[in-house]
């Protein structure tokens, strides 16, 4: 009974409810005082413990749902920022001419090979594993977005590797700046790359401009004329020690080309002992023959000590009575001691070289070349010149030497020596230095120009010579010898030629 009528029993609660309804009636029933009802109404009714527990559970469940929803929204926003916003912003920041390959290039076989090679890096694998996990948990991410993520990771890795590459020498910066765009030297990559055979692109389907170059008609004609036989000439040399005279005997010529309409020629020979062109001797003219016999002696007074610096020049002409004489060819004997010591008469046969005009002796220049591969420094030392052509009225010249560094016909740099006044045999002994990286030595050449200084007007070119891998004759041999013996000065005499004969490809700007 105590449990039913207790403070929390059901009957007690029902009694309290009846009493509350009676107090709310107006007027209150007999036996109920107004003060008693007011004090009873001020007491709060007690709630059922079951209803309070149910309200607390509902509020906690709502709070958990809200927290989970906010967490899911935050995860979604983070994935969207990582996968979509960051690659899009990087693409917008990069210019169209950027060196980064497009999506199609990334999907090519060669790019796949490079990517597979770069994936060997442990740091790169860590990034890619995270990206793969994200793609597995988010199957709705498109393939383009996944490729953008990989591209961003690769670019980040490449930038990290480039920061560890060695910087090139600052002395070669100016040289690389002047190089053509296709010849700029890239920095050395010490990373794991594909073998050289795999890096070389195939030439199938590629246009080769050199196949479409139109060959010069004049060049073909000159080659055909040069290949044409101009015959041979027979002469002998002997030196008379008593009179200090060089005796040149022109014996005969054989198989000369026909210059007249009748199928014959009227040949004769001019003889010079260079560098002196003032003393010119000449044989008689032999009419209508292609195999003349001259048998004439010519005397040149010259000391024996100077014979080593002299050259014998024979020019064969066809005589024309009413027009200019036609030149058949020429023979130049650089070394008079080629056959013997000239103490006795020695017969010499030489092929007549094709020529349209007499060669002019412009003189010679002596210089040395020395290359230091470790420092990338090329030193050209101009030593002296001899027997230069007189350019002034006084019979002398004011020569100086200008050296130009060329690359594909373009002049990159030029340097000069001092001017030597009133001389045809100047002595300089001046060094000229160029900074050239070792990897560019096969792409450059040097043009050595001997100039005559004029106070009024333009300076005149006496003659030029060229040295380099693409030069001809002694110029190429001198360059190769310098490369074969680094850190050692190699000196040679070079004959000066006219500007139009110094290059095959054409004349650069002087």
């Amino acid at each position: 009974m105590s449990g039913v009528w207790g403070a929390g029993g059901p009957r007690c609660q029902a009694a309290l409810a009846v009493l509350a309804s009676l107090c709310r009636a107006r007027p209150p029933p007999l036996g109920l005082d107004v003060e008693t009802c007011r004090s009873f109404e001020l007491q709060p009714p007690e709630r059922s413990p079951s209803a309070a527990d149910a309200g607390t559970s509902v509020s906690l469940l709502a709070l958990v749902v809200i927290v989970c929803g906010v967490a899911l929204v935050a995860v979604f926003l983070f994935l969207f920022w990582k996968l979509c916003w960051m690659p899009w912003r990087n693409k917008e920041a990069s210019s169209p001419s950027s060196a980064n390959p497009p999506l199609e290039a990334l999907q090519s076989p060669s790019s796949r090979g490079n990517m597979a090679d770069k994936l060997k890096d442990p740091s790169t694998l860590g990034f890619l594993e995270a990206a793969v996990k994200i793609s597995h948990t988010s199957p709705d991410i498109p393939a383009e977005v996944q490729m953008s993520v990989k591209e961003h990771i690769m670019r980040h890795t490449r930038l990290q590797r480039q920061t560890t590459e060695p910087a090139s020498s600052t002395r070669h910066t100016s040289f690389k700046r002047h190089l053509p765009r296709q010849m700029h030297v890239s920095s050395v990559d010490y990373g794991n790359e594909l073998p050289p055979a795999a890096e070389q692109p195939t030439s199938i389907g590629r246009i080769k401009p050199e196949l479409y170059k139109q060959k010069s008609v004049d060049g073909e004609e000159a080659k055909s004329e040069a290949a044409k036989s101009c015959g041979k000439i027979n002469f002998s040399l002997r030196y008379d020690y008593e009179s200090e005279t060089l005796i040149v005997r022109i014996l005969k010529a054989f198989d000369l080309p026909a210059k007249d309409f009748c199928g014959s020629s009227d040949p004769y020979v001019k003889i010079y002992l260079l560098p002196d062109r003032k003393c010119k001797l000449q044989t008689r003219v032999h009419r209508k023959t292609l195999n003349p016999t001259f048998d004439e002696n010519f005397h040149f007074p010259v000391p024996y000590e100077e014979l080593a610096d002299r050259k014998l020049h024979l020019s064969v002409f066809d005589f024309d009575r009413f027009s200019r004489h036609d030149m058949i060819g020429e023979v130049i004997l650089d070394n008079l001691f080629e056959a013997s010591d000239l103490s006795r008469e020695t017969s010499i046969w030489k092929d007549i070289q094709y020529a349209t005009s007499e060669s002019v002796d412009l003189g010679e220049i002596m210089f040395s070349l020395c290359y230091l591969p470790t420092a990338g420094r090329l030193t050209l030392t101009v030593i002296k010149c001899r027997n230069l052509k007189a350019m002034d009225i006084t019979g002398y010249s004011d020569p100086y030497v200008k050296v130009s560094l060329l690359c594909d016909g373009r002049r990159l740099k030029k340097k000069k020596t001092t001017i030597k006044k009133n001389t045809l045999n100047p002595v300089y002994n001046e060094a000229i230095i160029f900074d050239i990286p070792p990897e560019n030595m096969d792409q450059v050449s040097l043009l050595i120009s001997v100039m005559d200084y004029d106070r009024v007007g333009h300076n005149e070119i006496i003659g030029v010579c060229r040295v380099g891998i693409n030069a001809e004759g002694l110029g190429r041999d001198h360059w190769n010898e310098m490369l074969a013996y680094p850190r050692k000065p190699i000196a040679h005499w070079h004959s000066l030629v006219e500007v139009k004969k110094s290059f095959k490809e054409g004349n650069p700007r002087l």
Side-chain angles (χ1 to χ4, degrees), residues 148-167:
S148 301
V149 174
K150 293 182 181 179
E151 179 184 357
H152 173 69
I153 295 172
M154 290 302 175
R155 183 162 57 251
H156 178 72
T157 306
R158 185 163 57 249
L159 290 176
Q160 288 182 347
R161 291 178 60 188
Q162 287 179 356
T163 56
T164 62
E165 293 178 358

Side-chain angles (χ1 to χ4, degrees), residues 194-485:
L194 293 176
E199 291 182 351
Q200 296 178 353
T202 177
S203 60
I204 299 177
R206 180 173 298 176
I207 297 176
K208 296 183 178 181
E210 60 271 12
L211 299 179
Y212 300 93
K213 291 182 179 179
Q214 184 176 2
K215 296 182 179 180
S216 175
V217 178
D218 298 336
E220 295 294 334
E221 292 179 356
K223 289 182 180 180
S224 61
E225 291 177 351
K228 189 188 305 181
S229 175
C230 295
K232 295 186 178 183
I233 188 171
N234 179 219
F235 61 94
S236 64
L237 300 176
R238 183 175 66 87
Y239 186 77
D240 188 354
Y241 293 92
E242 296 181 359
S243 60
E244 292 188 345
T245 303
L246 177 66
I247 302 174
V248 180
R249 185 180 182 184
I250 306 298
L251 298 175
K252 56 185 176 179
F254 174 74
D255 196 17
L256 298 179
K259 292 292 184 177
D260 298 337
F261 292 104
C262 60
S264 182
S265 296
D266 302 327
Y268 69 94
V269 181
K270 290 182 181 180
I271 304 100
Y272 300 93
L273 191 61
L274 303 179
D276 183 14
R277 283 191 173 271
K278 297 179 180 179
C279 181
K280 177 186 68 174
L281 303 178
Q282 178 179 319
T283 65
R284 296 189 303 271
V285 178
H286 291 252
R287 300 287 182 177
K288 300 186 183 304
T289 178
L290 300 178
N291 301 285
T293 301
F294 300 102
D295 198 12
E296 299 181 40
N297 293 328
F298 301 93
H299 299 262
F300 293 93
V302 56
Y304 185 81
E305 294 79 11
E306 297 182 6
L307 290 177
D309 299 330
R310 296 298 187 98
K311 299 178 183 180
L312 183 64
H313 185 193
L314 306 179
S315 301
V316 184
F317 285 86
D318 171 54
F319 176 81
D320 285 332
R321 185 181 297 274
F322 303 105
S323 63
R324 185 178 180 180
H325 301 179
D326 297 327
M327 188 172 184
I328 297 176
E330 65 181 2
V331 172
I332 299 178
L333 185 63
D334 295 329
N335 184 13
L336 298 178
F337 298 96
E338 179 180 331
S340 67
D341 58 355
L342 304 180
S343 59
R344 55 186 180 85
E345 185 174 0
T346 304
S347 178
I348 301 173
W349 279 94
K350 285 289 183 179
D351 292 329
I352 301 175
Q353 303 297 323
Y354 174 82
T356 56
S357 60
E358 287 188 272
S359 300
V360 179
D361 186 37
L362 303 176
E364 295 176 296
I365 181 173
M366 183 181 187
F367 58 87
S368 66
L369 295 175
C370 180
Y371 185 67
L372 278 69
T374 55
R377 180 178 302 166
L378 173 63
T379 303
L380 184 147
T381 304
V382 181
I383 301 175
K384 59 183 177 179
C385 299
R386 66 183 180 188
N387 303 325
L388 296 180
K389 180 183 178 182
M391 304 296 289
D392 298 337
I393 303 177
T394 59
Y396 293 98
S397 298
D398 301 328
Y400 68 93
V401 181
K402 179 172 66 175
V403 182
S404 302
L405 178 64
L406 305 178
C407 180
D408 286 348
R410 295 178 54 209
R411 185 178 67 188
L412 303 183
K413 293 182 181 179
K414 67 174 181 178
K415 297 185 180 181
K416 304 177 183 178
T417 64
T418 57
I419 301 172
K420 304 297 181 181
K421 298 286 187 177
N422 297 325
T423 178
L424 299 179
N425 300 281
V427 178
Y428 297 98
N429 290 323
E430 300 181 23
I432 296 176
I433 299 175
F434 295 103
D435 292 325
I436 307 175
E439 59 267 20
N440 295 111
M441 287 298 293
D442 293 340
Q443 303 166 349
V444 300
S445 60
L446 297 178
L447 177 67
I448 297 94
S449 306
V450 181
M451 312 285 292
D452 174 51
Y453 172 77
D454 287 331
R455 188 180 299 273
V456 180
H458 296 286
N459 298 339
E460 297 178 316
I461 301 176
I462 299 177
V464 299
C465 67
R466 181 186 179 190
V467 292
I469 197 69
N470 296 322
E472 298 180 351
L474 182 59
R476 181 181 62 252
D477 298 339
H478 195 176
W479 186 269
N480 292 333
E481 187 177 359
M482 172 199 68
L483 296 178
Y485 298 95

Side-chain angles (χ1 to χ4, degrees), residues 104-119 194:
E104 292 78 9
L106 287 174
Q107 296 177 355
S108 62
S110 60
S111 300
R112 290 173 185 172
N114 293 333
M115 183 179 294
D117 195 9
K118 292 183 179 180
L119 289 178
L194 293 176

